Each structure stands twice: as structure tokens, then as C-alpha cells.
Amino acid sequence: MPEIRWDWLQRHADDIQIMTVQHLEITGLSMALALAVALPVAVAVRNRRVPFAVAAGVADVLYTIPSLALFALLLPYTDIGRTPAVIGLAAYALSMIVRNTVVGLRGVPAVVRDAAVGQGLTPRQVLVRVELPLALPAIMTGVRLATVSTVGIATVAAFVGGGGLGELIWDKGIQREMFLTPILAGTVLTTALAIALDALLAGAQWLLTPWARRGRT
Amino acid sequence: MPGTPATDAPPPGDVRAGTLELRGVTKRYGPTLAVDDLSLTVPAGKVCVLIGPSGCGKTTALRMINRLIEPTAGEILIDGTDVRRRPAARLRREIGYVIQQVGLLPHLTVAQNVATVPRLLGWAKARVGPRVDELLALVGLPPGDYARRYPAELSGGQQQRVGLARALAGDPPLMLMDEPFSAVDPITRERLQTDFLRLHRAVPKTVVFVSHDIDEAVKMADVIAVMRAGRLVQFAPPAELLADPADEFVADFVGADRALKGLALTRLEDLDLPPAPTVRRGEAGGDVRDRVASGTLVPIGGAVLATGDDGHPLRWVPVAAIGDRVEATPGRTEPLLSPVTTLRDALSALFEAGASHGVVVDGAGRAVAVADVATIGGGLAAPAEKAGDA
């Protein structure tokens, strides 16, 4: 095991910090875009078999495209930089969010829906006040899975000039005759980010679903 | 309502009840007629039980009233207004809806669940809170203990009480109840039925109640609608239904023991029960003996009922055993009966306790009367009288 060059890390601490923030920004923007697309799609197809199969199928196909190729394919339509990275990462997250959201929405007991409609909630109120809150645990499962995988794949964003910790691993490490220190630092930071974000989301879920932790004793 | 104690009577104008009328209501699914030309009228404030075997169309009929199902033909009127005159969601906010599986919103607290309809109706927050507390108290769930709980923390019976409070919250003139008490155990069911009847006296709504249980129907209904294969086969007050079934199907359905079932039609308060021979704890023994001698206190089997200062029964004390003062520690006075207990339930309670008589207590737990087996048995003649005023 070669020595880690702590002095190099110290000298580049500012750069590393900027890349870490960039990485978080890319991840956050990607998840926001993915949610903005996936939630309405999931809501629209939740009660229909064929449209759901089509939406889930398209999302699955996107998920199977190799990440390098996907970013490259986007380049003719966008400039180099953050945009192709965010679009590509959001595309990857769609499948997990759409599928989990639909599972959650379909898991709302029919009797709860019937009672809600019977009390005089409009279809829109049933969706917003009943179905979405009750689907929240499943939606959060999808968001957490997608976030963790996005943090990892986001390292590839460096190839389309998106910045982030991929830059640390690729530009500073691999391209400099496998200079190990930045490669290791980038890897450790990426993993730490993934774990931290997952824990953060788990905490948010805990706060948002007080009913789920109170059962009959 | 005759016989209702003044304390239970709501302030005038505070209660709304509407007349429900079904005219030739029909629901067709392909070639099948789920409900076939159903016509009936439920007067304001009355309980109508729709009963019949599975698939007879009773639930379909109920769900057409709040437009969860739209009829193929016919019309449904509440206080003379067709239910289709308003958007379905608006209509439903004015119709209480209680179902077997309750269907509380699991992510909302008990208080938030009960507040559902008032909030949909746009009530001010200052009005919703007190209303929720009032209703929880009404259904026997002290708001301090239950308002902030989640449905998953309640028993089935408690959940159904919340369901009832939720349905009443918007003060609807009409309540629809689809087998509301069938999913709970028999003891809880019996208690919920009795509590519902007490509630209904305090707040007389028009109620349409679906049941498959003739005993429940007899107990709850002012009028019973027996359905078979989508058609109404008999529409009559319970006593009439038991005494004079329209055809063999109804006779079979009400069962061979319909004379016994008649016992469920009369309540203890309908009988002329002797007052409880009560003495206060601490009362002078001489006074007690004087009252017995003058006939104003009539011991039962030589014993009188000692009560606390609050009138709650403590135990039976033989007159002969009373010295200077009435001394009594709480003992066995069961079974305790309520004035609204049916003769059938009262007899059952007496047999179960192996007692020849029970103490009737009022809403505050004060001993008011004594019911014994012979008096209750004498009530067998009563159903015919009840038929007149139902």
C-alpha cells in the first residue's frame, strides 16, 4: 500500500471542498428533476395497467444504458457541463422512484380510499391528503435508493465536464499515472456522502411519518 | 321523542334530521339487476335497517344514496331534493358515512380524523376543536386520552367509535352505516349498538343501516326493509315484521324463534318497574325501619339497596341486619342494567349472572329501579303495543 500524500490533500483542501459541494449540487438537482418527472408520471399511471407498464418499461430501459454512453449521447443536445450530467443522472433515478411510488399508491387500502371519498373528499383531495401521505414510506424508499446510486454514478459526470468528486478521481488521479491519493480521497468522500444522505433521508422519513412508528402495544 | 329524559334532549335547532325518499331506484350491472325498483321513505330522525342475505343489493342501495354508486334509474331525495342536484363530494359532506372496516385515515390522529368533514365544510378552527372534543366525549372516548392517538393505537371497537364521531362531526341530517358493528367481537358489538341507540336519542339523525343480522335489525330499527335479489320484500316496523312476515322468505329469515326475538323490541324503560329500594349509606336505621313500616320503602327478599351519596349502588343489605346506621362497603350488585337495555339482553344478563333481579341505573350510575325475571317475562306481551308507536 503506497503512502497517502497527506500534504497533497492539505494543499488541495479548497479544491476538494468545491468538488464535494459540486457533487452534492449535482446529486440534489438530479433528484429534484427525477422527482419532478417521476411523481406526476407515477400518479398518472397508478391505476392503469398498460400505461404503468409503458412508463416503467421506458424508465427501466433508461436505467440499463451504460452511464458513459448516456452522457455522451446527451452531448449533441446540451453543452458540456452540469446540464448533461443532471439530465443523465435524473434519467437513471426515474425507474426506482416511479416503481416505488406506484407500489406505495397502490398499497393504500381500498377501504381507506372508500371512507375518504364517502366523507366528501374530491379525487384531488384523496390524492393529496390520503394517497400521497400514505405512499410516503414507499416513495422515500425509492428516493433513498436512487440517491445512493446517484451519488455513485455522479462521479462519471466528470467526463462531460460536470465537475464533482469524479474530477478528483479522474483528472487528478487516474490521468496522472494513477496518482492514488486523490483516487482514494474521492472514493472515500463519495461513499461518505452516500451514507450521510441516506441517513439524512431516513431521518426525514422518520419525522414525516409519525403514525408509522406508533402501533398498538 | 316520548320517554326521553329531559337531560338527554338536545337544545332545539341544534339537531338536523332529513327525510329520505327512494323512488323506483334501480341499479343494473349488465344483465343483472342489483337493485330492482326500490321505493321507500324513511321519516326524519328514524333508523331504517336494510337487511337481507349476501348479494341482495342492500349495500348497493346504501351506496347509491351518497352517490358512491350512481343508479341506473329512479331518484333519491333528501328533504325533497334530488341527490344529483349537487356535486357528489359536496353531497357526501352532508351525509355521515360509517363502514364495517371503519377506514380511518391511518396517518392522521383521532382528532384530525374526526375533524375531516368540518374542515372540508370550511369551519373556522375555533369551532372545529371544541366540536371534535364534544364528539369524542359523546362516543365515550375522553378527548384528553384519545385525541392525539393514531388509529393503529386503538382497538377495533374504539376505531369504530371514532368512525361514528367522524360521521357525526359535520352534523349531517342523514347517516349511512354499512354493517358498522360486524367486524368487532360480540361483546363490543353489543356495547356499540347500545351506545349508538343512546346517542341516537340524544342526536336523532335519519339513519340507513345495512345489516345481515336480524337480531341487530330488531334491536336498532324503527323500520326494517327486507331485501331479496334486489327487491324490497317487506318494509315494516320490527314488531310487525316478527308478528306478521310477508312471506315464507321473510319468515325463514327472521327465524323460528321470532317470539323470543320480540323481547329485543321492548326496553326496560317501557316496563313499569318498581323503584329501587335504596337507602343511603349512613342513613339512620330507625328511619329505614319507619319507611319500610309505612310502605314507602319496599324491600326485595328482605333486603334493601345501600347506595353511596352519589346514588351509586353499593350492595344489598338485609333490613334485619341494619343497626343504628346503614353501613355498607361496595359489594356485588350486578347485573347493572340500563333503561335502554332490551328485555332480551336484560334476561340474558340475569341468567348469566345467575341472579333473579338486576339493578337499573341511569346515565349517571344512580340506582333507579329493579328488574326481575318475572317482570321482564311479563314484558312478552309488550311488542304489540310497541308496534303502534314505532
Side-chain angles (χ1 to χ4, degrees):
Chain A
M1 185 92 184
E3 284 257 316
I4 290 175
R5 295 271 306 277
W6 295 104
D7 59 316
W8 187 91
L9 288 176
Q10 240 162 15
R11 268 184 286 119
H12 292 81
D14 285 354
D15 286 349
I16 293 171
Q17 195 187 339
I18 290 167
M19 290 171 193
T20 308
V21 171
Q22 279 178 345
H23 203 91
L24 271 173
E25 284 169 357
I26 295 168
T27 306
L29 287 170
S30 308
M31 293 312 299
L33 179 60
L35 275 169
V37 175
L39 285 183
V41 168
V43 165
V45 303
R46 70 192 189 280
N47 294 324
R48 291 180 287 180
R49 241 160 45 98
V50 174
F52 169 67
V54 171
V58 168
D60 288 351
V61 167
L62 286 174
Y63 188 66
T64 57
I65 299 175
S67 46
L68 262 178
L70 180 62
F71 292 131
L73 287 171
L74 283 167
L75 281 181
Y77 307 99
T78 64
D79 287 335
I80 266 187
R82 187 176 277 186
T83 312
V86 167
I87 293 174
L89 291 168
Y92 278 118
L94 288 180
S95 170
M96 282 179 268
I97 300 177
V98 168
R99 282 185 175 280
N100 278 284
T101 302
V102 170
V103 165
L105 291 170
R106 287 182 177 175
V108 175
V111 51
V112 171
R113 204 178 281 119
D114 179 56
V117 173
Q119 306 301 317
L121 273 75
T122 61
R124 193 190 171 82
Q125 287 168 331
V126 172
L127 174 67
V128 174
R129 300 192 193 180
V130 181
E131 292 182 294
L132 283 173
L134 288 178
L136 197 61
I139 296 172
M140 288 303 285
T141 300
V143 169
R144 284 170 62 185
L145 283 170
T147 302
V148 169
S149 85
T150 299
V151 170
I153 307 172
T155 50
V156 185
F159 289 99
V160 285
L165 291 166
E167 211 178 308
L168 189 64
I169 296 170
W170 179 250
D171 297 344
K172 310 279 188 217
I174 295 170
Q175 288 209 318
R176 293 187 182 179
E177 296 165 354
M178 296 301 277
F179 177 30
L180 266 177
T181 297
I183 297 176
L184 281 173
T187 307
V188 167
L189 280 171
T190 306
T191 309
L193 270 188
I195 293 170
L197 285 178
D198 190 50
L200 202 71
L201 289 169
Q205 182 179 344
W206 191 84
L207 284 175
L208 286 171
T209 57
W211 70 90
R213 50 182 193 265
R214 303 256 295 266
R216 260 191 102 195
T217 44
Chain B
M1 191 177 287
T4 307
T7 48
D8 279 6
D14 200 34
V15 169
R16 300 188 299 158
T19 304
L20 173 71
E21 192 182 351
L22 274 63
R23 287 188 196 155
V25 173
T26 298
K27 180 65 189 182
R28 185 189 291 277
Y29 290 107
T32 326
L33 275 170
V35 173
D36 185 3
D37 194 23
L38 178 65
S39 297
L40 56 83
T41 300
V42 186
K46 297 294 181 188
V47 179
C48 169
V49 174
L50 294 178
I51 193 166
S54 306
C56 71
K58 54 192 192 290
T59 293
T60 306
L62 184 91
R63 291 167 67 88
M64 284 192 283
I65 298 170
N66 66 352
R67 295 181 61 190
L68 287 170
I69 297 175
E70 296 287 356
T72 312
E75 52 187 2
I76 297 169
L77 310 168
I78 298 174
D79 279 335
T81 307
D82 195 309
V83 294
R84 283 168 298 192
R85 288 272 294 275
R86 284 189 300 165
R90 294 271 295 280
L91 171 81
R92 293 180 192 129
R93 291 168 197 174
E94 304 239 323
I95 300 179
Y97 185 54
V98 184
I99 54 179
Q100 185 183 340
Q101 304 296 338
V102 195
L104 296 178
L105 303 184
H107 60 300
L108 300 182
T109 62
V110 165
Q112 289 169 327
N113 266 286
V114 175
T116 305
V117 171
R119 286 186 53 198
L120 287 171
L121 291 171
W123 290 18
K125 257 200 174 134
R127 188 173 162 211
V128 176
R131 177 69 177 161
V132 168
D133 288 355
E134 176 195 342
L135 280 160
L136 287 176
L138 198 65
V139 298
L141 300 172
D145 294 339
Y146 290 94
R148 298 173 65 119
R149 294 204 200 175
Y150 285 97
E153 299 174 277
L154 305 179
S155 70
Q158 290 168 335
Q159 289 189 22
Q160 195 51 279
R161 283 171 192 275
V162 178
L164 207 53
R166 174 175 68 174
L168 283 166
D171 193 25
L174 174 65
M175 300 264 291
L176 305 180
M177 306 178 74
D178 191 357
E179 306 211 11
F181 309 139
S182 348
V184 294
D185 63 88
I187 296 166
T188 308
R189 182 184 316 143
E190 148 72 32
R191 200 171 298 150
L192 285 169
Q193 288 168 346
T194 305
D195 283 358
F196 175 76
L197 284 173
R198 191 177 301 139
L199 205 67
H200 186 256
R201 296 185 153 219
V203 192
K205 301 288 181 189
T206 309
V207 178
V208 180
F209 189 114
V210 164
S211 178
H212 63 264
D213 175 0
I214 185 71
D215 292 319
E216 181 172 66
V218 165
K219 181 174 179 181
M220 311 294 290
D222 291 307
V223 62
I224 297 177
V226 185
M227 291 182 68
R228 179 193 194 186
R231 301 193 67 98
L232 183 65
V233 286
Q234 189 165 10
F235 187 65
E240 192 184 319
L241 191 81
L242 292 175
D244 188 17
D247 59 16
E248 218 163 288
F249 169 78
V250 180
D252 273 358
F253 197 79
V254 299
D257 59 340
R258 52 182 218 252
L260 260 182
K261 286 192 171 100
L263 280 174
L265 288 173
T266 311
R267 304 180 187 288
L268 289 175
E269 66 189 357
D270 299 330
L271 299 182
D272 204 4
L273 294 175
T278 53
V279 296
R280 287 287 158 110
R281 178 165 56 185
E283 191 176 339
D287 291 352
V288 172
R289 283 182 286 275
D290 286 350
R291 283 165 64 201
V292 172
S294 69
T296 52
L297 182 67
V298 185
I300 293 175
V304 290
L305 184 64
T307 68
D309 290 337
D310 53 6
H312 288 212
L314 294 171
R315 66 156 64 228
W316 289 96
V317 185
V319 177
I322 297 176
D324 288 347
R325 302 247 159 232
V326 174
E327 289 172 31
T329 49
R332 223 179 83 95
T333 55
E334 289 91 358
L336 294 179
L337 306 165
S338 150
V340 297
T341 306
T342 65
L343 299 193
R344 180 189 164 117
D345 291 344
L347 269 185
S348 163
L350 289 182
F351 289 154
E352 208 174 299
S356 63
H357 51 255
V359 177
V360 181
V361 295
D362 64 13
R366 291 184 296 256
V368 289
V370 173
D372 65 25
V373 175
T375 319
I376 296 173
L380 275 171
E385 296 163 28
K386 182 84 191 299
D389 77 32

